[in-house]
Amino acid sequence: MFLIDCPYCKESRDQNEFSPAGEAFIARPQNPEELSDDEWADYVFYRTNHKGDHWEQWVHTNGCRKFFLVKRSTISHEILEVAAFGEVTSENKS
Amino acid sequence: MRLKNHKSDYIDQSEALSFIFNNRSYKGYKGDTLASALIANDVLFFARSFKYGRKRGLMGSGVEEPNALVSLEIGGRYTPNLKATEVMLYDGLSAVSSSNPNSLDFRALIKPLHRFMPAGFYYKTFIKQKVWAMVEDSLRALSGFSKAPTEKDEDLYDHIFHHAEVLIVGGGVAGITAALEILNNSKTTRVILVDERAHLGGELFNEFKSDDTAISWHHDSVNKLLEFKNVANSRLKLLSRSTAYAWYDHNYIEVLQTNATGESMVSGNTQVARKVLHKIRTKEVILATGAHERPMLFETNDLANIMLSQSVRRYLNEFGVISGKDVILYGNNDSIYGTAIDIKDNEINCKVIDVRASGSESEIVLKAKKLGIEVLQGYAVLKAHGTNLVKGIEISKVEMQGKKWKLSGSSKKLNCDLLASSGGFNPVVHLDCHCGAKTFFDEDSQAFLPQKERKNRQVCGSISAIGFWKDAVIDAKK
Ligand SMILES: [Zn+2]
């Protein structure tokens, strides 16, 4: 039931055009073959499940089909910020 | 019974409608609800209670009604679990109580054994003995809900999307004022006004008799609204007989509208949707949902003809019907005096029992006394007498000692055939709470009010415990 502003289409569209794509800023390990099973599991499966403002990825499935970043409050579901990849990174995110 | 010489803007006495309820036929008028038409025909029992099968009568006059569940029509037009208070009468309507109060009921026989039947008796007993699978069907049948439909629905239903800047829920004084205020102050804002009843105005018509300014205000305001509505590319949408029942994230609200009568509209070649689901996305929501009355509590207060004061008043003023000739009003606030005055105006016996002690009476209390209404102050109702219908009550003097009520003196009996009570008003905060808003308890109004600040949402009128209609106008103008 969300209204999401796609940063590429520059339009507010209904949630059913989009699909969620998990927590943002999870970088793929540089040398996967050197990782222990625990470290690999951590990358593949474990997420912070954060309560509060949360950066996540969405994809405009039935629109431009591009992935982008959304900062959403997991309490009120308010969307606080949307950004294209690169505009916000794990270093400069608010 | 229906009062002779009663004038109401909402009842068209020139158009008699016949209908069937529990296999008997009756007559009502255009503008009646099923409940008001049945009161006019002296039908007072609508259901049975679950455990002992006690007969239940009406308590409210609208969506707050807990007892009068009915199913409408048969076959492909069968609709279960409607409230008799919300079903508008149409010619040829047929309805059946969800739990028939007139049939013989074995539960009445076990009532003397109530001492041995704790809460949840049926479920607990039968689950323990592992016969649940055998008895489940018959117990479910007792639960007081209608049977599920078995045939395909013949009617047509529709859904529409809307986009607006402002959605106002509630078309009473506060909602009307807020809508006009917004439309007047902006040239572009689109407004949707949603109201549950067939006519705009909420509870204001109760003031019509005593307050001419209420009539003119209502007339002017509704006309102004219609002016906004009846132009090309109107910015105003009026949805009456509609309930905003769900509020989802990012101000997405769903409203279910039932057509004028709720009647099935499959006839001849034209087919009109019987119900329409409005899916509304809006920037701002204004809640003017008002308040529901709560009853006073005492022993056996579930007898038929123990009702809410404001509902009795609405039946009287809007429909010209009342279910008793000897009325007692019981409450802890001034609203019961308004009802008493209206009842007295129609030359029906009434008494007022006020829990509050005498002293520092407001204007309306003095007015009631002046009209010759017997007022007992500092009394509480302990118990209601009667087998199915209330026949009398037991009252006693009470006073507040410290923080507790204490009885003083011996109790005495009063006769009555209708008891209307008011224990204050509960703001209708339900919709606000759908999307995570909290309520807080307000000591002054003794009620849970919606949280003060919320993004893209405002409240006005009696949802924030404003009682007097002129105050609601001022509140809504902010
Ligand atoms: Zn897009």
Side-chain angles (χ1 to χ4, degrees), chain B residues 254-451:
Chain B
E254 288 191 346
V255 173
L256 185 65
Q257 184 175 36
T258 308
N259 67 26
T261 57
E263 189 176 357
S264 180
M265 291 294 184
V266 199
S267 62
N269 296 322
T270 53
Q271 193 168 9
V272 183
R274 185 178 184 191
K275 292 192 178 197
V276 179
L277 178 59
H278 297 274
K279 300 174 168 183
I280 301 172
R281 183 78 76 170
T282 178
K283 286 209 174 95
E284 187 95 15
V285 179
I286 296 178
L287 293 176
T289 46
H292 288 153
E293 198 162 34
R294 51 180 177 243
M296 294 293 280
L297 304 180
F298 46 89
E299 202 180 324
T300 56
N301 63 355
D302 64 337
L303 292 173
N305 255 357
I306 295 182
M307 299 172 68
L308 294 170
S309 152
Q310 210 62 23
S311 298
V312 170
R313 198 175 182 198
R314 181 175 170 205
Y315 282 123
L316 190 68
N317 291 338
E318 184 171 338
F319 306 105
V321 299
I322 190 162
S323 53
K325 289 178 183 128
D326 193 5
V327 189
I328 289 181
L329 289 137
Y330 173 42
N332 61 6
N333 61 76
D334 283 348
S335 75
I336 47 173
Y337 292 93
T339 311
I341 291 167
D342 288 351
I343 292 173
K344 181 84 182 170
D345 274 350
N346 285 289
E347 289 163 2
I348 296 165
N349 262 339
C350 75
K351 285 192 195 77
V352 174
I353 297 169
D354 194 333
V355 177
R356 300 168 299 174
S358 55
S360 68
E361 281 100 342
S362 65
E363 221 170 281
I364 193 161
V365 180
L366 299 173
K367 187 180 167 193
K369 284 181 174 172
K370 217 180 193 177
L371 285 169
I373 296 169
E374 190 182 332
V375 177
L376 294 165
Q377 283 164 305
Y379 279 88
V381 175
L382 306 178
K383 192 180 174 175
H385 294 287
T387 39
N388 292 314
L389 211 61
V390 61
K391 281 194 187 123
I393 50 168
E394 210 171 298
I395 62 167
S396 169
K397 222 170 167 48
V398 287
E399 52 189 279
M400 192 73 128
Q401 285 178 359
K403 277 197 159 178
K404 275 190 174 165
W405 289 98
K406 285 264 161 60
L407 298 182
S408 62
S410 56
S411 63
K412 61 175 176 179
K413 279 189 180 178
L414 291 176
N415 289 331
C416 68
D417 60 0
L418 170 61
L419 179 65
S421 78
S422 171
F425 292 86
N426 287 336
V428 183
V429 294
H430 317 52
L431 190 63
D432 196 35
C433 295
H434 280 200
C435 232
K438 297 273 193 297
T439 57
F440 70 96
F441 190 73
D442 179 50
E443 283 292 334
D444 291 337
S445 55
Q446 289 290 305
F448 284 95
L449 303 187
Q451 85 184 35

Side-chain angles (χ1 to χ4, degrees), chain B residues 47-56 99-123 125 139 142-144 300 302-303 387-388:
Chain B
R48 279 183 186 278
S49 73
F50 172 59
K51 195 170 175 188
Y52 301 125
R54 291 160 69 91
K55 290 190 181 186
R56 291 273 157 88
S99 54
N100 192 341
N102 302 322
S103 63
L104 225 82
D105 196 290
F106 78 88
R107 288 170 293 181
L109 302 174
I110 55 176
K111 204 175 133 195
L113 303 175
H114 67 93
R115 208 174 279 278
F116 308 106
M117 297 172 64
F121 171 79
Y122 290 120
Y123 292 119
T125 314
L139 283 183
L142 294 178
S143 68
T300 56
D302 64 337
L303 292 173
T387 39
N388 292 314

